[in-house]
Amino acid sequence: MDVKGLVWLGTRTTAFGEMRAFLARLTGVEPWVDEPGLAVFDLPNGDRLEVLGPEGDDPPRREAPLVGLLVDDVDGARRELEAEGVEFVGPVHDGGGGNRWAHFRAPDGHLYELTSRPDHPAHARGA
């Protein structure tokens, strides 16, 4: 498994409006998804920030913040980690276009995510 970087951060909050406005000011980027309870910011380097409101029933995304580690092959990376005894929470998710992710619990007890995003610039750089 070749981890190319930390490419995604998601956080769930009861202060959704305030966090959405704060991240827009902080990053200077307006969200490309901007709907009640979800704002998605793509930063200039290709990394993604998601702010989620308190609603929603996706258990892994209730733990915040949640960091995504970029890998080429989520399924292969998952098999490697499972062979080491790492616990995964839920299935591999498919967002279409090669965007896939899977949540796992690290030794610190927190959830992390394996993320595949073929459009991320790290792939073009051969990182």
Side-chain angles (χ1 to χ4, degrees):
M1 170 182 4
D2 180 21
V3 174
K4 298 178 179 302
L6 304 174
V7 298
W8 180 85
L9 175 92
T11 186
R12 185 172 298 281
T13 177
T14 56
F16 174 79
E18 294 90 340
M19 276 300 293
R20 186 239 171 262
F22 173 75
L23 288 174
R25 283 192 316 274
L26 179 71
T27 65
V29 174
E30 286 299 315
W32 65 273
V33 174
D34 196 6
E35 51 193 51
L38 176 64
V40 181
F41 300 83
D42 278 355
L43 302 178
N45 71 347
D47 294 348
R48 183 166 287 164
L49 285 169
E50 288 187 24
V51 179
L52 301 102
E55 55 283 328
D57 60 359
D58 184 3
R61 291 190 179 198
R62 281 190 223 138
E63 293 190 32
L66 183 64
V67 175
L69 305 168
L70 182 67
V71 296
D72 288 327
D73 176 11
V74 170
D75 297 289
R78 179 177 176 146
R79 284 190 299 274
E80 284 184 44
L81 290 177
E82 285 177 328
E84 295 178 16
V86 173
E87 171 197 1
F88 276 78
V89 179
V92 173
H93 301 272
D94 190 336
N99 295 299
R100 297 171 57 80
W101 63 95
H103 300 107
F104 66 93
R105 194 164 303 280
D108 65 3
H110 296 290
L111 286 180
Y112 295 83
E113 178 180 290
L114 296 174
T115 305
S116 175
R117 286 193 39 219
D119 65 332
H120 193 278
H123 290 294
R125 290 192 306 266

